[in-house]
Amino acid sequence: MRYVSPNLRLLFSPSLRPTLSVPLFISKPNPKPFSFSTILASSSSKRPRSFSNLSRRSNSTFKDRKGGGRDMTMEETTGQSKDSSSSFGFNKRRAEGRDKSDRPKKNPQLKERKLNPTNTIAYVQILGTGMDTQDTSPSVLLFFDKQRFIFNAGEGLQRFCTEHKVKLSKIDHIFLSRVCSETAGGLSGLLLTLAGMGEEGYSVKIWGPSDLNFLVGAMKSFIPHATMVHTQSFGQSPISDAAENVTAPIKASDPIVLVKDEVVKISAILLQPHCLEQSQIKPGEMSVLYICELPELMGKFDPKKAAALGLKAGPKYSELQHGKSVKSDRLDIMVHPADVMDPPVPGPIVILVDCPTESHLQELLSIECLNGYYTDVSSHLTESTKMVNCVIHLSPASVVSSPNYQKWMKKFGSAQHIMAGHGKKTLEVPILKSSARVTSRLNYLCPQFFPAPGFLSLQHLSSSEGLTLKICESIPAENLLKFTLRPYAQLGLDRSHIPTPMGQSQVIDELHLEIPEIADAAQHVREFWQELKESREVLPTSNDNGVMIEEPWLTEDTLPGCLENIRRDDLEIVLLGTGSSQPSKYRNVSSVYINLFSKGSLLLDCGEGTLGQLKRRYGVDGADKAIRNLKCVWISHIHPDHHTGLARVLALRRDLLKGVPHEPLLVIGPRQLKRYLDAYQRLEDLDMQFLDCRSTTKASWDTFVRDGASNNDGSSPQSPRHSNAKNESMQEINQTLFAKGSRMQSYLRQPGSPVDHSAAYPFLKSLKKMLGEAGLEALISFPVVHCPQAFGIVLEAAERVSSVGKVIPGWKIVYSGDTRPCPELVDACRGATVLIHEATFEDGLVDEAIARNHSTTKEAIEVGNSAGAYRIVLTHFSQRYPKIPVFDETHMHKTCIAFDMMSINIADLPVLPKVLPYLKLLFRNEVAVDESDDILDALV
């Protein structure tokens, strides 16, 4: 066991640490660098700036800020936990779904802008969402002085724009090249963010083929309709009236003019699978080619030519510049605009094409209206032929590399081709550099909890990409690559904004310069694992119930029984998203990946960007394997930051398992989620089955077990056993959740109709079988206090038998979801091996926590302590805490702070709290600013 200095012992032991506001151990001036222990102690006792003042700023648009404090109408109720003297208030109106303070404004408005016909600056730019992970389609920005247009809004668009300061509030139109999770996964979050801005909220006009109606209809399940009133579909409309429909063209391939003003004309050409009648086209199969045409600009007026033609300076100059002919003042002639104006500046043309399959390609080759844009030598050029300057290809490499596609590309003559479909050139280049930098620093300090990203190597370049470059002159897209349209003199590619790659070594070199003691800190952290190995040889385990005695870790000499002879391939908890409300630079929204290795995996919540985070953690191939092996996805409640990444995950799993025998994936969630998924599946099949969280409560499981014991599967509604079981189950739920005399009402709002247990039984059987295959004994949902139909979850592993025949209890994980502290949560946490608890607010913001029905750091820790949880992991932090939240270390002896990509192996749990002081050291020089400032910069 290595020597622990008195100073370090003072730092780590709350009972010994003095309460000081100045650095410890400094008795006289010392020109030499501080010792590592002294620096670490100082970092724990002071901050460079006041966190409390910064965290109380009120100019944010975030959901977790709006209506905070005592200003909002709020009914508080207190409950008493039988194991704690603390009582917790909560917002009853919010828990019941009657609090409207955080809903978008009633009528989000489209912005009215004065257009600038001359457009001194205009360009198209690649917004590289998904370019590093291939989880979503890149977006394309069409920029003008007074207008912005975005093509495609995949997952991560908000986070990308925050990182790169692309101002979303300037966006007027969003165009979808296809309507699916790949191109529109970020749309719902973006709409909600814009609707919450300013006094009235903002809106954008959304355009897409007729399939857009299905997407809008699905999003209505959790997004107010007012945020989507400006949606317009085009082409033959399916049976839906969710979006206003633009008149369909006579021919499906005829161009449809969507936007036409003095700045730009944007037209759409529909692409459908070849030789299919309109009635045979399935939702999601329609694709779009967009043509963006800038108007021709008049040449400059030449006063010398005017004077030579006998004109005097004056009003006639203006008339000529406006296209009118005038009579010469000195000569008997008419002066025409062409006599005194330079040649007109041609209007640049950009085409964006998304051709997803070979069948669509056949249709593309037959579109006659494109003939006027072909300029190669084999085309019949006429005076009306238009020269295309840039073609941006969103088509996949498998289509682009085909000879027919290459021949079609060559028809555009000298046009610049930018290949923006999924390629592997940019796969290792992080798009979110800020979070990648933090991840690299964390990996250096503690690689056990923060593994290196799993990106593919560049040596895996596909042969199809090389083929593309050989056949037709083109370039692969890069993040923030521009093609300048105006000024016309600068027409062409602009690489000046492409981010410079930053390697791991450069990040670590900067870290050493910034915090010289970090090398010693990393060495100390590595030694924890050696100590753990030694301690396992001498430390006894607790009794088999796995409940730990609460005491600081330095004096703790027992492990829960479930950790005896534990294997590293038994369980890994990966925090994919640890922020709240909306994605930000450093933290994605909620998702927890439960890795059971060879036994499969589960997802607990699935916020926007979850798939991208999985690919950053495990690499593209590793993430695909994880998706294939998913056993279940569990969603805590209907708020978008917890489920809007679900459709993308399900769609990828469907594609990966196509042609392979498999069962539909089981999704467990609140009732409102089923309405969304049912509506969304009209757009694309998600290959899933749904089970209501209420059917997985302890009461429901007990009913299921009783029916199984009596050989009655409950499938017959007329069965007396089924009827009695349903009544008993509902009575038990009502007694525990809705009784007015209960210690704290848990506002799982009672549905209009009881849970249909007969429909749930087959899914419960499948779930029971899945749990057995995954080595799990139980998956139990329990209601929490946040919003209607909000839940937490308990996962319990099955018992193990050691090599000597000893029965070892299984581990227990509890995930709180979003909640106030409540008795149901405390009861569920009893004896937990790991409690993953939301800690949205710091301790000084308890009023805001009550108003929003969230928890503070201290409250989350108290829940775990009162229930005897062995380890507590805090997550779901407000975005006001950019990198590390504000917390009091006094009671953190069994607790750690979560970061995105943090991977906690069950075998490493004894070490977990020891790392916390070193994490504070890592972020000691970070300015404690509210990250919402960055997001606001990207929005306003």
Side-chain angles (χ1 to χ4, degrees), residues 666-685:
L666 186 61
V667 175
I668 303 173
R671 183 183 54 172
Q672 306 101 310
L673 182 64
K674 184 177 188 301
R675 289 200 297 268
Y676 164 66
L677 293 173
D678 286 347
Y680 187 89
Q681 288 199 107
R682 297 179 65 193
L683 175 63
E684 58 177 331
D685 176 34

Side-chain angles (χ1 to χ4, degrees), residues 555-575:
T555 60
E556 191 175 86
D557 58 359
T558 58
L559 294 174
C562 64
L563 295 186
E564 182 178 350
N565 296 327
I566 197 73
R567 294 166 56 96
R568 297 195 67 83
D569 61 355
D570 193 35
L571 168 68
E572 180 184 52
I573 303 170
V574 183
L575 286 304

Side-chain angles (χ1 to χ4, degrees), residues 439 442-443 446-454 529 568 571-578 591-595 597 613-614 616-618 834 836 873 896-909 911-912 915 919:
T439 300
L442 289 165
N443 170 252
C446 183
Q448 293 85 357
F449 287 141
F450 302 97
W529 269 261
R568 297 195 67 83
L571 168 68
E572 180 184 52
I573 303 170
V574 183
L575 286 304
L576 296 175
T578 58
S591 185
V592 181
Y593 178 66
I594 304 298
N595 185 7
F597 296 93
Q613 293 291 87
L614 264 177
R616 292 182 183 96
R617 169 63 182 86
Y618 292 108
V834 181
I836 306 170
V873 179
C896 196
I897 300 299
F899 295 83
D900 282 17
M901 304 300 179
M902 188 176 191
S903 302
I904 305 170
N905 192 286
I906 190 170
D908 298 331
L909 286 179
V911 178
L912 188 60
V915 177
L919 294 176

